[in-house]
Amino acid sequence: MIYFEEVSKMYPDESLALDGVTFSVEPNEFISVVGHSGAGKTTLLKMIVAEEHPTSGSVLVSSEEVHKLRGEAINRLRRRVGVVFQDFRLLPHKTVYENVAFAMEVAGRTEKEICSDVPHALDLVGITRKTWSFPCELSGGEQQRVAIARAIVNQPEIVIADEPTGNLDPENTYEIVQILKRINSLDTTVIIATHNTGIVEALKNRVVVLDSGKVVRDTSNPSLLV
Amino acid sequence: MLFTKLKRVIRSGFLNFWRNAFLSTTSILVMVITLSFIGSIIFLSAILAASLDGVSRQVDLSVTFIPEAPSSEVLALKEDLEARPDVSSVKYTSREEALEGFRDRHASDRIILQTIDELGRNPLGANLTIQAYDPESYQDIAAFLEPEHALGADENIIYRINFRDNELAIERLTSLIGAVERFGLALTVALAFVSVLITFNTVRLIIYTARDEIAVMRLVGASTRYIRGPFVISGILYGLIAALITLALFYPMTFWLGEVTEHFFIGINVFTYYLENFVQIFLITVLSGIFIGGISSYMAVKRYLKI
Ligand SMILES: Nc1ncnc2c1ncn2[C@@H]1O[C@H](COP(=O)(O)OP(=O)(O)OP(=O)(O)O)[C@@H](O)[C@H]1O
Ligand SMILES: [Mg+2]
């Protein structure tokens, strides 16, 4: 489903964020990318939706070479991938409902679909109570949930979540992980990036370990990590 | 599908507008200034055109004949003058009418009237008042009236040509108006250009504050047009509202200036002009507003769409 081939990324300030990364993700897999802060996790995820371009190497998503796509083809790819950004990136002038609905509008869904799917997605992440609030009126954990709702509302083939539990308490972390698992069980490929080894162990799924832009481990047995 | 999208773009444009009320107000105010400049150009050029027209109408060539000149010859000369392509009109004042006018003008001056009565005859000659289409052709017309050109006249029947006295003043006024017209137009065009730039930058500032939002839209896969649409719609709304405010402001402004312009410039009342040409001025202002607002937004979004 997703292939990274010898992907390297050098930012303009000469910092090497990714260094010859090669790995692949199968359909319906749940994979965690872990590593220290600055290891290149966010950079890696950005490659999948063409937010960043590799300096060398190539990224394929369902056998399309991401960085050769132009114009509308990029938009179509982005609608098939739901992204939960590390900094949420909710639209500040839109309510929770509108933020989630926006992703559906962009995909050209009808009002009827929007009316039935948005509440469903909000319910799935447990934020129905805040439907009509603006992002600035929400706590970090609540914004996190809205970001997840927006990422999943179009039933994408792939969901990417960057630090989905970044600054949450253990209880919320657990809930969010359950939500992601549920999404994965509905035939969605899920990729998360995190430095919380605790979740990784709890998930018991495949883990790719990044260090200074290199893949240093790729294992399906996270308990061996420590 | 297309219709739903269009509806969403328009609704979102209105929402943007409403939720950024402060910035919207700012850009509307700036656009009001821009549109007022554009409106001023319209009024200024109307005033200048009217003044030039008025000046050339006020300037005329007054030919006074000697009292002995036979009216047939005067009328023949009138016809010759009317045949000239540069002459717009020739007004004939007979000796009797001239005397009548003279009496009217001095109705309160008993001594003058008495002198005239005692004289027992009409001391005034007939008169032709010539108007040219273009003030510049008075010189030619005057030359035409010189005795050697005046057809069939052995002796000079012309007593005086009144134009020569203020020829210099007219020449100066004509060139002055020409200069004012050119300078005024250049100035207003320059000012309008500057205010369009200011509008553009204000709108760009608004869109700058929305750049993160644009990035998010981009990353959830919104197409260029879908992102740009609402901004262009709000831009058009700014323009439309600014145009209506400007038109409303013109009403008291021209009303107030109307008297002044009527007396200072030759006979144009900007208020009447505004009312009479309302449809035209309305269309120009509204279309300029929509155009400037729309184009500014369109261009300003462009640079944040690159992700
Ligand atoms: N836009 C950028 N310009 C220059 N350097 C960047 C940019 N984005 C990231 N980097 C650098 O690339 C490296 C990898 O950054 P990245 O954001 O991928 O790390 P990360 O693993 O997501 O870290 P964290 O866990 O803190 O989110 C870092 O050294 C960072 O400083
Ligand atoms: Mg990161």
Side-chain angles (χ1 to χ4, degrees):
Chain A
M1 174 129 246
I2 301 171
Y3 300 92
F4 277 73
E5 282 175 16
E6 287 297 323
V7 176
S8 294
K9 172 68 184 181
M10 173 97 80
Y11 281 109
D13 63 356
E14 303 281 298
S15 60
L16 191 61
L18 292 180
D19 187 2
V21 171
T22 303
F23 75 102
S24 63
V25 182
E26 299 305 318
N28 304 333
E29 222 178 336
F30 191 131
I31 169 171
S32 315
V33 178
V34 300
H36 299 295
S37 182
K41 305 181 293 290
T42 300
T43 307
L44 184 90
L45 298 188
K46 282 178 172 175
M47 297 286 170
I48 299 173
V49 288
E51 189 181 346
E52 289 289 355
H53 288 248
T55 315
S56 65
S58 58
V59 179
L60 280 84
V61 175
S62 8
S63 48
E64 280 181 314
E65 201 168 337
V66 171
H67 299 95
K68 288 197 172 143
L69 298 179
R70 289 284 165 272
E72 196 51 31
I74 294 187
N75 298 335
R76 271 198 301 275
L77 166 76
R78 286 174 176 169
R79 287 174 212 150
R80 279 170 29 213
V81 182
V83 183
V84 181
F85 301 98
Q86 188 165 7
D87 47 359
F88 316 143
R89 300 215 200 162
L90 300 173
L91 299 175
H93 297 294
K94 290 186 190 294
T95 62
V96 166
Y97 181 91
E98 288 167 344
N99 262 285
V100 178
F102 183 74
M104 293 189 79
E105 292 180 4
V106 161
R109 311 288 280 274
T110 65
E111 294 300 328
K112 220 176 99 196
E113 288 174 302
I114 293 177
C115 286
S116 73
D117 288 12
V118 172
H120 186 71
L122 291 177
D123 184 45
L124 193 71
V125 298
I127 192 99
T128 312
R129 219 162 40 84
K130 295 281 184 176
T131 303
W132 305 110
S133 305
F134 286 93
C136 61
E137 299 161 354
L138 302 179
S139 74
E142 288 165 338
Q143 291 185 35
Q144 186 75 266
R145 287 161 195 259
V146 180
I148 295 175
R150 178 178 67 188
I152 60 168
V153 75
N154 278 325
Q155 286 134 24
E157 298 157 40
I158 303 164
V159 167
I160 297 173
D162 195 353
E163 299 291 357
T165 58
N167 30 32
L168 301 184
D169 56 48
E171 203 168 307
N172 271 299
T173 301
Y174 177 78
E175 275 185 39
I176 298 273
V177 169
Q178 294 311 310
I179 292 167
L180 290 171
K181 272 186 162 172
R182 185 135 95 239
I183 295 163
N184 178 238
S185 70
L186 300 169
D187 287 344
T188 309
T189 310
V190 177
I191 306 174
I192 66 168
T194 180
H195 47 230
N196 183 343
T197 40
I199 334 177
V200 176
E201 279 172 50
L203 275 168
K204 298 190 175 46
N205 282 320
R206 182 177 159 206
V207 177
V208 171
V209 184
L210 275 185
D211 189 18
S212 311
K214 285 196 177 71
V215 178
V216 292
R217 285 288 272 286
D218 186 343
T219 169
S220 298
N221 193 350
S223 52
L224 297 174
L225 265 181
V226 191
Chain B
M1 168 84 177
L2 189 72
F3 178 72
T4 341
K5 281 215 163 177
L6 195 69
K7 204 177 71 189
R8 282 170 187 166
V9 162
I10 290 174
R11 193 190 56 197
S12 162
F14 271 83
L15 274 179
N16 270 359
F17 177 86
W18 186 243
R19 286 178 182 165
N20 291 305
F22 178 73
L23 284 171
S24 304
T25 315
T26 314
S27 63
I28 287 173
L29 286 182
V30 172
M31 285 186 72
V32 166
I33 295 170
T34 307
L35 293 175
S36 302
F37 271 127
I38 292 174
S40 308
I41 297 178
I42 301 175
F43 287 122
L44 191 77
S45 59
I47 288 173
L48 284 175
S51 328
L52 195 63
D53 194 43
V55 166
S56 41
R57 239 183 302 113
Q58 275 202 343
V59 173
D60 54 29
L61 201 58
S62 167
V63 186
T64 313
F65 294 87
I66 54 173
E68 296 77 30
S71 59
S72 59
E73 268 185 47
V74 174
L75 288 172
L77 190 60
K78 177 176 184 262
E79 263 169 45
D80 287 345
L81 282 167
E82 278 170 345
R84 284 178 65 95
D86 50 359
V87 170
S88 82
S89 75
V90 182
K91 189 172 154 265
Y92 171 69
T93 313
S94 70
R95 292 185 63 202
E96 291 72 31
E97 284 163 348
L99 186 63
E100 195 109 324
F102 186 83
R103 278 180 190 280
D104 282 352
R105 255 175 289 139
H106 298 96
S108 58
D109 195 334
R110 201 118 36 76
I111 302 174
I112 289 188
L113 293 181
Q114 225 168 352
T115 317
I116 295 271
D117 287 339
E118 277 166 20
L119 207 57
R121 64 182 174 86
N122 184 352
L124 299 177
N127 183 292
L128 288 182
T129 307
I130 304 157
Q131 286 224 323
Y133 288 109
D134 182 351
E136 276 169 28
S137 44
Y138 284 116
Q139 230 138 13
D140 286 350
I141 300 171
F144 171 77
L145 291 168
E146 294 294 332
E148 57 267 31
H149 299 293
L151 302 167
D154 300 335
E155 49 175 329
N156 195 355
I157 55 169
I158 295 177
Y159 170 65
R160 197 155 55 118
I161 298 179
N162 225 355
F163 163 74
R164 301 209 158 231
D165 296 347
N166 39 25
E167 178 180 25
L168 200 62
I170 287 167
E171 223 165 65
R172 280 187 186 153
L173 196 58
T174 312
S175 63
L176 184 72
I177 286 190
V180 166
E181 196 167 42
R182 275 193 298 275
F183 177 73
L185 207 68
L187 187 73
T188 36
V189 166
L191 282 176
F193 181 71
V194 168
S195 52
V196 166
L197 274 186
I198 294 175
T199 306
F200 178 72
N201 276 303
T202 313
V203 172
R204 220 174 64 177
L205 196 70
I206 293 179
I207 288 170
Y208 176 78
T209 64
R211 68 197 185 288
D212 293 335
E213 217 163 305
I214 294 175
V216 178
M217 295 181 190
R218 212 76 185 102
L219 290 173
V220 298
S223 67
T224 312
R225 258 186 297 167
Y226 195 74
I227 296 173
R228 200 179 247 161
F231 287 102
V232 173
I233 296 278
S234 350
I236 287 174
L237 262 175
Y238 297 150
L240 195 66
I241 292 177
L244 296 179
I245 292 177
T246 309
L247 287 167
L249 282 179
F250 277 162
Y251 192 86
M253 261 165 28
T254 52
F255 181 76
W256 181 61
L257 282 174
E259 293 276 296
V260 186
T261 53
E262 181 143 37
H263 293 117
F264 263 92
F265 307 94
I266 298 120
I268 176 171
N269 183 326
V270 281
F271 184 60
T272 338
Y273 180 82
Y274 180 47
L275 296 184
E276 276 170 4
N277 297 279
F278 184 76
V279 174
Q280 205 184 343
I281 294 173
F282 178 88
L283 284 179
I284 292 176
T285 313
V286 167
L287 291 181
S288 311
I290 289 177
F291 184 75
I292 295 172
I295 290 284
S296 300
S297 309
Y298 185 88
M299 308 266 284
V301 182
K302 201 181 168 113
R303 52 179 304 188
Y304 301 114
L305 283 175
K306 291 205 184 96
I307 299 172

